[in-house]
Amino acid sequence: MSVADPKARQNARILCATCEIGAASAAGSGHFCPFVDRSRQAGELIYLEGEPANHVWFVKQGIIVLLRKGGENNAEGRVRAVRFPGSFIGLEAVVTDRYIDSARATTDAVLCGTTREGVDTWLGKKGAPARTALELTLRAESVDLPRRAPPDGNAVERVAAWLCEEGPRGETLTLPRRIVADLLGMRPETLSRAMAILAERGAIEVSRTNLRIVSENKLAELASGGSLPSS
Amino acid sequence: MSVADPKARQNARILCATCEIGAASAAGSGHFCPFVDRSRQAGELIYLEGEPANHVWFVKQGIIVLLRKGGENNAEGRVRAVRFPGSFIGLEAVVTDRYIDSARATTDAVLCGTTREGVDTWLGKKGAPARTALELTLRAESVDLPRRAPPDGNAVERVAAWLCEEGPRGETLTLPRRIVADLLGMRPETLSRAMAILAERGAIEVSRTNLRIVSENKLAELASGGSLPSS
DNA sequence: CGGCAATTTGAACATTTTCAATACGGGTGG
DNA sequence: CCACCCGTATTGAAAATGTTCAAATTGCCG
């Protein structure tokens, strides 16, 4: 079969001489590259979801997984994406205070890192088109909720978790149920049943066209599997 | 409860006078904004996954859903994300030839659009730091496969679809099964069983540590529910 | 060579999907 | 302004699917 040697990309290493970041630095305002090499061992945690986003990294070698737990439940978070050499990780630092995922090296890795201020300077003038586009893109990505599947909790828990996150923003509550169901990785019928249960438990009030959060506490509790499961 | 009026954001409209894009344009090389207003009706398709990415849009008003079908199966694609005023859609045009999602207005909407060349000029010099970062971010995003869930097909179909997309790149084949399972929205045990079935059907060969694609055709067939389901 | 961790396998159980039928609610035309 | 229609949302019951938990296997690393 045509699969390339699996080790090839894993061992590939970006050198400063040929690095896009290095090249960009020469073209940028700073005229020098603020990123500094740093090695990580396989399995090592690079940063943790929710902690202050003080650093941004560029992957030069190795494979990094991004995990997101979203709500406050499920202990460790699930893998959301995989990053290879040539990608940034933690770039959300440009638009948020805290990391939106955890990052962990799955192989020995070489990362080039700099501080939040470092990238801030490196990116050039705020309000420039490319920088504005970058920020809007990162911002959109940071509120995208990872596609949820049964391993993330059952239907009721996922709906409750979603309402905890999205509810306060209030925007998505008017979306057609079919769309919400898609986002939560379930069928409209399942969403409907889950909302009926949340309503029955007094966490929300639903009509066919409206949805009102009655108790954020109850919602949070149900999101993490609380309340008697009953039946 | 504290949910803002649901209609508020939906009817909010960004004006050129206060638009980030407009402001950025003044700061940019072009010194004028290449984006032009265009209205869309609720339900209207804005662009289709896979078609040439000739335009980029900025959402000024309304709610847009992004759908992705990924493989060749499931007819219409599932909602992957929701975009509100203040976001770009179709910005992948900067790094790819074709749209990676379909976009559809769920409410009446006002979009500001320009051509691929338009943004290209607007973004400023290629190789500048902010632009490089933008491109790397978009590229990473465009290969991210959305977390999968049962509505996307059963376990066997999802694994087969994943192998069809990722297999040729070969990079992810070496990832620990537990990580792959997470990405596919299933438990490691379920992944294991699914791969056993694919192997039994002659689509792949698996050992505990290796995975080789034997027949891409069979894989594609199984990805779309083909072959006798048997049991 | 031995121990550990990841993967595989098995069987019972829980959940979700399905498919069909019903009930709404908004929009249309009279 | 009201009756009627149509598509979306809800409900029900059976079937399919995935999860769970435990046990066995295997490969890797020291």
Side-chain angles (χ1 to χ4, degrees), chain A residues 129-130 133, chain B residues 21 24-25 28-36 53-58 88 90-91 93-94 99 112-126 131 134-135:
Chain B
I21 304 307
S25 302
S29 47
H31 287 272
F32 76 98
C33 183
F35 290 87
V36 182
N54 295 324
H55 295 273
V56 172
W57 306 92
F58 178 75
F88 281 106
L91 195 55
V94 174
Y99 291 117
C112 248
T114 187
T115 61
R116 183 214 290 263
E117 296 74 37
V119 249
D120 188 71
T121 304
W122 182 74
L123 286 175
K125 202 154 41 96
K126 274 180 182 140
R131 176 150 186 181
L134 174 67
E135 291 180 2

Side-chain angles (χ1 to χ4, degrees), chain B residues 150 153-155 158 185-187 189-190 193 208-209:
Chain B
N154 64 30
R158 279 183 279 152
M186 60 184 73
R187 298 257 99 119
E189 293 94 330
T190 306
R193 286 183 245 267
R208 189 175 290 253
T209 53

Side-chain angles (χ1 to χ4, degrees), chain A:
Chain A
M1 229 288 313
S2 61
V3 171
D5 174 11
K7 296 290 178 191
R9 178 89 180 239
Q10 191 174 129
N11 293 328
R13 169 143 183 198
I14 293 175
L15 302 173
C16 283
T18 56
C19 173
E20 280 194 79
I21 303 307
S25 302
S29 47
H31 286 271
F32 76 100
C33 183
F35 289 87
V36 182
D37 271 23
R38 186 91 178 262
S39 289
R40 298 288 181 155
Q41 297 189 327
E44 205 173 328
L45 183 72
I46 298 162
Y47 54 77
L48 194 60
E49 175 176 355
E51 79 182 1
N54 295 325
H55 295 273
V56 172
W57 306 92
F58 178 74
V59 184
K60 292 181 89 174
Q61 181 179 40
I63 298 180
I64 313 295
V65 297
L66 267 24
L67 305 103
R68 193 182 296 187
K69 60 174 183 286
E72 32 271 299
N73 47 333
N74 44 26
E76 226 249 314
R78 313 230 165 251
V79 176
R80 180 184 79 80
V82 185
R83 292 285 111 102
F84 298 97
S87 299
F88 281 106
I89 58 174
L91 195 55
E92 63 263 36
V94 174
V95 295
T96 61
D97 283 349
R98 296 175 179 278
Y99 291 116
I100 59 173
D101 316 286
S102 301
R104 191 181 288 280
T106 52
T107 64
D108 288 342
V110 179
L111 303 176
C112 250
T114 187
T115 61
R116 183 213 291 261
E117 296 74 35
V119 247
D120 188 71
T121 304
W122 182 74
L123 286 174
K125 202 153 41 99
K126 275 181 181 139
R131 175 150 187 181
T132 301
L134 174 66
E135 291 179 1
L136 292 179
T137 301
L138 291 170
R139 221 170 285 154
E141 201 177 304
S142 71
V143 300
D144 277 348
L145 103 156
R147 186 58 160 291
R148 313 207 115 123
D152 297 319
N154 64 28
V156 174
E157 288 165 11
R158 281 183 280 152
V159 174
W162 171 75
L163 285 169
C164 282
E165 295 173 44
E166 299 291 315
R169 283 207 288 276
E171 306 148 346
T172 44
L173 299 187
T174 58
L175 290 173
R177 298 278 146 95
R178 131 152 251 131
I179 289 177
V180 175
D182 259 13
L183 284 171
L184 295 176
M186 60 183 73
R187 298 258 100 115
E189 294 93 330
T190 306
L191 173 62
S192 190
R193 284 182 247 268
M195 296 205 310
I197 290 174
L198 292 178
E200 179 186 296
R201 298 283 166 77
I204 62 177
E205 276 178 23
V206 279
S207 76
R208 190 172 291 253
T209 53
N210 265 327
L211 192 159
R212 208 170 62 80
I213 296 176
V214 174
S215 160
E216 301 197 37
N217 291 341
K218 242 171 213 156
L219 219 42
E221 192 185 322
L222 287 160
S224 45
S227 278
L228 60 166
S230 96
S231 97

